[in-house]
mmCIF file with all atom_site columns, all heavy atoms in Angstrom:
data_model
loop_
_atom_site.group_PDB
_atom_site.id
_atom_site.type_symbol
_atom_site.label_atom_id
_atom_site.label_alt_id
_atom_site.label_comp_id
_atom_site.label_asym_id
_atom_site.label_entity_id
_atom_site.label_seq_id
_atom_site.pdbx_PDB_ins_code
_atom_site.Cartn_x
_atom_site.Cartn_y
_atom_site.Cartn_z
_atom_site.occupancy
_atom_site.B_iso_or_equiv
_atom_site.pdbx_formal_charge
_atom_site.auth_seq_id
_atom_site.auth_comp_id
_atom_site.auth_asym_id
_atom_site.auth_atom_id
_atom_site.pdbx_PDB_model_num
ATOM 1   N N   . MET B 1 1   ? 21.349 136.368 78.262 1.00 0.00 ? 284 MET B N   1
ATOM 2   C CA  . MET B 1 1   ? 22.397 137.252 77.618 1.00 0.00 ? 284 MET B CA  1
ATOM 3   C C   . MET B 1 1   ? 23.160 137.960 78.894 1.00 0.00 ? 284 MET B C   1
ATOM 4   O O   . MET B 1 1   ? 24.263 138.192 78.852 1.00 0.00 ? 284 MET B O   1
ATOM 5   C CB  . MET B 1 1   ? 21.854 138.238 76.666 1.00 0.00 ? 284 MET B CB  1
ATOM 6   C CG  . MET B 1 1   ? 21.538 137.658 75.287 1.00 0.00 ? 284 MET B CG  1
ATOM 7   S SD  . MET B 1 1   ? 22.919 137.038 74.455 1.00 0.00 ? 284 MET B SD  1
ATOM 8   C CE  . MET B 1 1   ? 23.836 138.466 74.166 1.00 0.00 ? 284 MET B CE  1
ATOM 9   N N   . LEU B 1 4   ? 25.761 136.022 80.427 1.00 0.00 ? 287 LEU B N   1
ATOM 10  C CA  . LEU B 1 4   ? 26.893 135.835 79.489 1.00 0.00 ? 287 LEU B CA  1
ATOM 11  C C   . LEU B 1 4   ? 27.809 137.058 79.460 1.00 0.00 ? 287 LEU B C   1
ATOM 12  O O   . LEU B 1 4   ? 28.990 137.024 79.497 1.00 0.00 ? 287 LEU B O   1
ATOM 13  C CB  . LEU B 1 4   ? 26.479 135.339 78.072 1.00 0.00 ? 287 LEU B CB  1
ATOM 14  C CG  . LEU B 1 4   ? 26.078 133.967 77.947 1.00 0.00 ? 287 LEU B CG  1
ATOM 15  C CD1 . LEU B 1 4   ? 25.514 133.818 76.600 1.00 0.00 ? 287 LEU B CD1 1
ATOM 16  C CD2 . LEU B 1 4   ? 27.156 133.025 78.264 1.00 0.00 ? 287 LEU B CD2 1
ATOM 17  N N   . LEU B 1 5   ? 27.080 138.176 79.387 1.00 0.00 ? 288 LEU B N   1
ATOM 18  C CA  . LEU B 1 5   ? 27.917 139.485 79.193 1.00 0.00 ? 288 LEU B CA  1
ATOM 19  C C   . LEU B 1 5   ? 28.422 140.140 80.467 1.00 0.00 ? 288 LEU B C   1
ATOM 20  O O   . LEU B 1 5   ? 29.471 140.735 80.431 1.00 0.00 ? 288 LEU B O   1
ATOM 21  C CB  . LEU B 1 5   ? 27.019 140.531 78.455 1.00 0.00 ? 288 LEU B CB  1
ATOM 22  C CG  . LEU B 1 5   ? 26.609 140.152 77.085 1.00 0.00 ? 288 LEU B CG  1
ATOM 23  C CD1 . LEU B 1 5   ? 25.710 141.168 76.333 1.00 0.00 ? 288 LEU B CD1 1
ATOM 24  C CD2 . LEU B 1 5   ? 27.836 139.969 76.262 1.00 0.00 ? 288 LEU B CD2 1
ATOM 25  N N   . ALA B 1 6   ? 27.844 139.673 81.664 1.00 0.00 ? 289 ALA B N   1
ATOM 26  C CA  . ALA B 1 6   ? 28.162 140.331 82.842 1.00 0.00 ? 289 ALA B CA  1
ATOM 27  C C   . ALA B 1 6   ? 29.766 140.068 83.206 1.00 0.00 ? 289 ALA B C   1
ATOM 28  O O   . ALA B 1 6   ? 30.360 140.940 83.648 1.00 0.00 ? 289 ALA B O   1
ATOM 29  C CB  . ALA B 1 6   ? 27.373 139.803 84.059 1.00 0.00 ? 289 ALA B CB  1
ATOM 30  N N   . LEU B 1 8   ? 32.036 139.447 81.104 1.00 0.00 ? 291 LEU B N   1
ATOM 31  C CA  . LEU B 1 8   ? 32.828 140.231 80.123 1.00 0.00 ? 291 LEU B CA  1
ATOM 32  C C   . LEU B 1 8   ? 32.923 141.697 80.495 1.00 0.00 ? 291 LEU B C   1
ATOM 33  O O   . LEU B 1 8   ? 34.054 142.272 80.503 1.00 0.00 ? 291 LEU B O   1
ATOM 34  C CB  . LEU B 1 8   ? 32.334 140.039 78.712 1.00 0.00 ? 291 LEU B CB  1
ATOM 35  C CG  . LEU B 1 8   ? 33.043 140.952 77.665 1.00 0.00 ? 291 LEU B CG  1
ATOM 36  C CD1 . LEU B 1 8   ? 34.501 140.267 77.563 1.00 0.00 ? 291 LEU B CD1 1
ATOM 37  C CD2 . LEU B 1 8   ? 32.322 140.657 76.308 1.00 0.00 ? 291 LEU B CD2 1
ATOM 38  N N   . ARG B 1 9   ? 31.780 142.163 80.933 1.00 0.00 ? 292 ARG B N   1
ATOM 39  C CA  . ARG B 1 9   ? 31.700 143.555 81.477 1.00 0.00 ? 292 ARG B CA  1
ATOM 40  C C   . ARG B 1 9   ? 32.664 143.831 82.673 1.00 0.00 ? 292 ARG B C   1
ATOM 41  O O   . ARG B 1 9   ? 33.314 144.901 82.863 1.00 0.00 ? 292 ARG B O   1
ATOM 42  C CB  . ARG B 1 9   ? 30.313 143.985 81.720 1.00 0.00 ? 292 ARG B CB  1
ATOM 43  C CG  . ARG B 1 9   ? 30.116 145.325 82.423 1.00 0.00 ? 292 ARG B CG  1
ATOM 44  C CD  . ARG B 1 9   ? 29.735 146.399 81.278 1.00 0.00 ? 292 ARG B CD  1
ATOM 45  N NE  . ARG B 1 9   ? 29.416 147.609 81.864 1.00 0.00 ? 292 ARG B NE  1
ATOM 46  C CZ  . ARG B 1 9   ? 29.936 148.687 81.655 1.00 0.00 ? 292 ARG B CZ  1
ATOM 47  N NH1 . ARG B 1 9   ? 30.887 148.787 80.722 1.00 0.00 ? 292 ARG B NH1 1
ATOM 48  N NH2 . ARG B 1 9   ? 29.592 149.776 82.213 1.00 0.00 ? 292 ARG B NH2 1
ATOM 49  N N   . HIS B 1 12  ? 36.365 143.422 81.608 1.00 0.00 ? 295 HIS B N   1
ATOM 50  C CA  . HIS B 1 12  ? 36.783 144.487 80.568 1.00 0.00 ? 295 HIS B CA  1
ATOM 51  C C   . HIS B 1 12  ? 35.777 145.554 80.435 1.00 0.00 ? 295 HIS B C   1
ATOM 52  O O   . HIS B 1 12  ? 34.917 145.608 79.552 1.00 0.00 ? 295 HIS B O   1
ATOM 53  C CB  . HIS B 1 12  ? 36.922 143.792 79.287 1.00 0.00 ? 295 HIS B CB  1
ATOM 54  C CG  . HIS B 1 12  ? 37.894 142.639 79.225 1.00 0.00 ? 295 HIS B CG  1
ATOM 55  N ND1 . HIS B 1 12  ? 39.278 142.829 79.285 1.00 0.00 ? 295 HIS B ND1 1
ATOM 56  C CD2 . HIS B 1 12  ? 37.704 141.416 79.303 1.00 0.00 ? 295 HIS B CD2 1
ATOM 57  C CE1 . HIS B 1 12  ? 39.794 141.557 79.423 1.00 0.00 ? 295 HIS B CE1 1
ATOM 58  N NE2 . HIS B 1 12  ? 38.858 140.719 79.389 1.00 0.00 ? 295 HIS B NE2 1
ATOM 59  N N   . PRO B 1 13  ? 35.577 146.399 81.519 1.00 0.00 ? 296 PRO B N   1
ATOM 60  C CA  . PRO B 1 13  ? 34.554 147.485 81.529 1.00 0.00 ? 296 PRO B CA  1
ATOM 61  C C   . PRO B 1 13  ? 34.524 148.531 80.316 1.00 0.00 ? 296 PRO B C   1
ATOM 62  O O   . PRO B 1 13  ? 33.508 149.146 80.240 1.00 0.00 ? 296 PRO B O   1
ATOM 63  C CB  . PRO B 1 13  ? 34.686 148.124 82.876 1.00 0.00 ? 296 PRO B CB  1
ATOM 64  C CG  . PRO B 1 13  ? 36.182 147.867 83.415 1.00 0.00 ? 296 PRO B CG  1
ATOM 65  C CD  . PRO B 1 13  ? 36.458 146.567 82.697 1.00 0.00 ? 296 PRO B CD  1
ATOM 66  N N   . ARG B 1 14  ? 35.675 148.604 79.736 1.00 0.00 ? 297 ARG B N   1
ATOM 67  C CA  . ARG B 1 14  ? 35.730 149.671 78.665 1.00 0.00 ? 297 ARG B CA  1
ATOM 68  C C   . ARG B 1 14  ? 35.467 149.177 77.298 1.00 0.00 ? 297 ARG B C   1
ATOM 69  O O   . ARG B 1 14  ? 35.443 149.870 76.414 1.00 0.00 ? 297 ARG B O   1
ATOM 70  C CB  . ARG B 1 14  ? 37.095 150.385 78.725 1.00 0.00 ? 297 ARG B CB  1
ATOM 71  C CG  . ARG B 1 14  ? 37.242 151.152 79.959 1.00 0.00 ? 297 ARG B CG  1
ATOM 72  C CD  . ARG B 1 14  ? 38.574 151.897 79.996 1.00 0.00 ? 297 ARG B CD  1
ATOM 73  N NE  . ARG B 1 14  ? 38.492 152.847 81.159 1.00 0.00 ? 297 ARG B NE  1
ATOM 74  C CZ  . ARG B 1 14  ? 39.150 154.049 81.023 1.00 0.00 ? 297 ARG B CZ  1
ATOM 75  N NH1 . ARG B 1 14  ? 39.767 154.318 80.004 1.00 0.00 ? 297 ARG B NH1 1
ATOM 76  N NH2 . ARG B 1 14  ? 39.042 154.819 82.087 1.00 0.00 ? 297 ARG B NH2 1
ATOM 77  N N   . VAL B 1 15  ? 35.188 147.829 77.240 1.00 0.00 ? 298 VAL B N   1
ATOM 78  C CA  . VAL B 1 15  ? 34.853 147.301 75.929 1.00 0.00 ? 298 VAL B CA  1
ATOM 79  C C   . VAL B 1 15  ? 33.571 147.695 75.501 1.00 0.00 ? 298 VAL B C   1
ATOM 80  O O   . VAL B 1 15  ? 32.471 147.788 76.097 1.00 0.00 ? 298 VAL B O   1
ATOM 81  C CB  . VAL B 1 15  ? 34.860 145.667 75.993 1.00 0.00 ? 298 VAL B CB  1
ATOM 82  C CG1 . VAL B 1 15  ? 34.313 145.053 74.690 1.00 0.00 ? 298 VAL B CG1 1
ATOM 83  C CG2 . VAL B 1 15  ? 36.250 145.098 76.288 1.00 0.00 ? 298 VAL B CG2 1
ATOM 84  N N   . ARG B 1 16  ? 33.528 148.140 74.240 1.00 0.00 ? 299 ARG B N   1
ATOM 85  C CA  . ARG B 1 16  ? 32.194 148.764 73.554 1.00 0.00 ? 299 ARG B CA  1
ATOM 86  C C   . ARG B 1 16  ? 31.580 147.486 72.892 1.00 0.00 ? 299 ARG B C   1
ATOM 87  O O   . ARG B 1 16  ? 32.057 146.692 72.206 1.00 0.00 ? 299 ARG B O   1
ATOM 88  C CB  . ARG B 1 16  ? 32.549 149.698 72.447 1.00 0.00 ? 299 ARG B CB  1
ATOM 89  C CG  . ARG B 1 16  ? 31.353 150.386 71.803 1.00 0.00 ? 299 ARG B CG  1
ATOM 90  C CD  . ARG B 1 16  ? 31.751 151.413 70.845 1.00 0.00 ? 299 ARG B CD  1
ATOM 91  N NE  . ARG B 1 16  ? 30.754 151.393 69.750 1.00 0.00 ? 299 ARG B NE  1
ATOM 92  C CZ  . ARG B 1 16  ? 30.931 150.797 68.641 1.00 0.00 ? 299 ARG B CZ  1
ATOM 93  N NH1 . ARG B 1 16  ? 31.981 150.117 68.436 1.00 0.00 ? 299 ARG B NH1 1
ATOM 94  N NH2 . ARG B 1 16  ? 29.946 150.872 67.806 1.00 0.00 ? 299 ARG B NH2 1
ATOM 95  N N   . ILE B 1 17  ? 30.296 147.392 73.280 1.00 0.00 ? 300 ILE B N   1
ATOM 96  C CA  . ILE B 1 17  ? 29.396 146.274 72.765 1.00 0.00 ? 300 ILE B CA  1
ATOM 97  C C   . ILE B 1 17  ? 28.467 146.786 71.915 1.00 0.00 ? 300 ILE B C   1
ATOM 98  O O   . ILE B 1 17  ? 27.756 147.778 72.164 1.00 0.00 ? 300 ILE B O   1
ATOM 99  C CB  . ILE B 1 17  ? 28.713 145.451 73.976 1.00 0.00 ? 300 ILE B CB  1
ATOM 100 C CG1 . ILE B 1 17  ? 29.725 144.852 74.896 1.00 0.00 ? 300 ILE B CG1 1
ATOM 101 C CG2 . ILE B 1 17  ? 27.819 144.433 73.495 1.00 0.00 ? 300 ILE B CG2 1
ATOM 102 C CD1 . ILE B 1 17  ? 30.541 143.721 74.292 1.00 0.00 ? 300 ILE B CD1 1
ATOM 103 N N   . SER B 1 18  ? 28.179 146.096 70.763 1.00 0.00 ? 301 SER B N   1
ATOM 104 C CA  . SER B 1 18  ? 27.039 146.564 69.848 1.00 0.00 ? 301 SER B CA  1
ATOM 105 C C   . SER B 1 18  ? 26.162 145.160 69.873 1.00 0.00 ? 301 SER B C   1
ATOM 106 O O   . SER B 1 18  ? 26.724 144.080 69.337 1.00 0.00 ? 301 SER B O   1
ATOM 107 C CB  . SER B 1 18  ? 27.452 146.781 68.425 1.00 0.00 ? 301 SER B CB  1
ATOM 108 O OG  . SER B 1 18  ? 26.421 147.011 67.489 1.00 0.00 ? 301 SER B OG  1
ATOM 109 N N   . LEU B 1 19  ? 25.047 145.049 70.403 1.00 0.00 ? 302 LEU B N   1
ATOM 110 C CA  . LEU B 1 19  ? 24.205 143.941 70.541 1.00 0.00 ? 302 LEU B CA  1
ATOM 111 C C   . LEU B 1 19  ? 23.135 143.990 69.563 1.00 0.00 ? 302 LEU B C   1
ATOM 112 O O   . LEU B 1 19  ? 22.308 144.971 69.506 1.00 0.00 ? 302 LEU B O   1
ATOM 113 C CB  . LEU B 1 19  ? 23.729 143.900 71.997 1.00 0.00 ? 302 LEU B CB  1
ATOM 114 C CG  . LEU B 1 19  ? 22.679 142.804 72.427 1.00 0.00 ? 302 LEU B CG  1
ATOM 115 C CD1 . LEU B 1 19  ? 23.602 141.401 72.311 1.00 0.00 ? 302 LEU B CD1 1
ATOM 116 C CD2 . LEU B 1 19  ? 22.256 142.966 73.792 1.00 0.00 ? 302 LEU B CD2 1
ATOM 117 N N   . ARG B 1 20  ? 22.923 142.925 68.895 1.00 0.00 ? 303 ARG B N   1
ATOM 118 C CA  . ARG B 1 20  ? 21.880 142.827 67.859 1.00 0.00 ? 303 ARG B CA  1
ATOM 119 C C   . ARG B 1 20  ? 20.933 141.668 68.273 1.00 0.00 ? 303 ARG B C   1
ATOM 120 O O   . ARG B 1 20  ? 21.470 140.574 68.786 1.00 0.00 ? 303 ARG B O   1
ATOM 121 C CB  . ARG B 1 20  ? 22.458 142.316 66.466 1.00 0.00 ? 303 ARG B CB  1
ATOM 122 C CG  . ARG B 1 20  ? 22.469 143.490 65.606 1.00 0.00 ? 303 ARG B CG  1
ATOM 123 C CD  . ARG B 1 20  ? 22.684 142.897 64.158 1.00 0.00 ? 303 ARG B CD  1
ATOM 124 N NE  . ARG B 1 20  ? 23.921 143.004 63.706 1.00 0.00 ? 303 ARG B NE  1
ATOM 125 C CZ  . ARG B 1 20  ? 24.321 142.691 62.416 1.00 0.00 ? 303 ARG B CZ  1
ATOM 126 N NH1 . ARG B 1 20  ? 23.553 142.043 61.631 1.00 0.00 ? 303 ARG B NH1 1
ATOM 127 N NH2 . ARG B 1 20  ? 25.594 142.862 62.049 1.00 0.00 ? 303 ARG B NH2 1
ATOM 128 N N   . ASP B 1 37  ? 30.841 139.247 65.630 1.00 0.00 ? 320 ASP B N   1
ATOM 129 C CA  . ASP B 1 37  ? 32.018 138.668 66.157 1.00 0.00 ? 320 ASP B CA  1
ATOM 130 C C   . ASP B 1 37  ? 31.611 137.525 67.074 1.00 0.00 ? 320 ASP B C   1
ATOM 131 O O   . ASP B 1 37  ? 32.665 136.660 67.410 1.00 0.00 ? 320 ASP B O   1
ATOM 132 C CB  . ASP B 1 37  ? 32.786 139.696 66.952 1.00 0.00 ? 320 ASP B CB  1
ATOM 133 C CG  . ASP B 1 37  ? 33.437 140.805 66.063 1.00 0.00 ? 320 ASP B CG  1
ATOM 134 O OD1 . ASP B 1 37  ? 33.684 140.406 64.973 1.00 0.00 ? 320 ASP B OD1 1
ATOM 135 O OD2 . ASP B 1 37  ? 33.389 141.894 66.573 1.00 0.00 ? 320 ASP B OD2 1
ATOM 136 N N   . PHE B 1 38  ? 30.541 137.448 67.558 1.00 0.00 ? 321 PHE B N   1
ATOM 137 C CA  . PHE B 1 38  ? 30.139 136.476 68.668 1.00 0.00 ? 321 PHE B CA  1
ATOM 138 C C   . PHE B 1 38  ? 28.763 136.257 68.472 1.00 0.00 ? 321 PHE B C   1
ATOM 139 O O   . PHE B 1 38  ? 27.997 137.304 68.306 1.00 0.00 ? 321 PHE B O   1
ATOM 140 C CB  . PHE B 1 38  ? 30.491 137.171 69.991 1.00 0.00 ? 321 PHE B CB  1
ATOM 141 C CG  . PHE B 1 38  ? 30.386 136.337 71.218 1.00 0.00 ? 321 PHE B CG  1
ATOM 142 C CD1 . PHE B 1 38  ? 31.406 135.540 71.687 1.00 0.00 ? 321 PHE B CD1 1
ATOM 143 C CD2 . PHE B 1 38  ? 29.120 136.292 71.942 1.00 0.00 ? 321 PHE B CD2 1
ATOM 144 C CE1 . PHE B 1 38  ? 31.188 134.836 72.880 1.00 0.00 ? 321 PHE B CE1 1
ATOM 145 C CE2 . PHE B 1 38  ? 28.992 135.654 73.167 1.00 0.00 ? 321 PHE B CE2 1
ATOM 146 C CZ  . PHE B 1 38  ? 30.047 134.849 73.512 1.00 0.00 ? 321 PHE B CZ  1
ATOM 147 N N   . LEU B 1 170 ? 39.694 140.758 71.925 1.00 0.00 ? 453 LEU B N   1
ATOM 148 C CA  . LEU B 1 170 ? 38.336 140.948 72.374 1.00 0.00 ? 453 LEU B CA  1
ATOM 149 C C   . LEU B 1 170 ? 37.564 139.541 72.276 1.00 0.00 ? 453 LEU B C   1
ATOM 150 O O   . LEU B 1 170 ? 36.888 139.294 73.201 1.00 0.00 ? 453 LEU B O   1
ATOM 151 C CB  . LEU B 1 170 ? 37.550 141.944 71.651 1.00 0.00 ? 453 LEU B CB  1
ATOM 152 C CG  . LEU B 1 170 ? 36.182 142.220 72.002 1.00 0.00 ? 453 LEU B CG  1
ATOM 153 C CD1 . LEU B 1 170 ? 35.951 142.527 73.522 1.00 0.00 ? 453 LEU B CD1 1
ATOM 154 C CD2 . LEU B 1 170 ? 35.469 143.293 71.201 1.00 0.00 ? 453 LEU B CD2 1
ATOM 155 N N   . ALA B 1 174 ? 35.969 137.389 75.344 1.00 0.00 ? 457 ALA B N   1
ATOM 156 C CA  . ALA B 1 174 ? 34.576 136.979 75.316 1.00 0.00 ? 457 ALA B CA  1
ATOM 157 C C   . ALA B 1 174 ? 34.504 135.334 75.526 1.00 0.00 ? 457 ALA B C   1
ATOM 158 O O   . ALA B 1 174 ? 33.682 134.815 76.206 1.00 0.00 ? 457 ALA B O   1
ATOM 159 C CB  . ALA B 1 174 ? 33.915 137.398 74.028 1.00 0.00 ? 457 ALA B CB  1
#
Side-chain angles (χ1 to χ4, degrees):
M284 289 299 293
L287 287 174
L288 293 178
L291 180 64
R292 174 96 172 127
H295 306 281
R297 292 183 169 215
V298 168
R299 184 176 147 266
I300 299 287
S301 175
L302 180 64
R303 262 199 249 185
D320 293 323
F321 186 88
L453 178 58

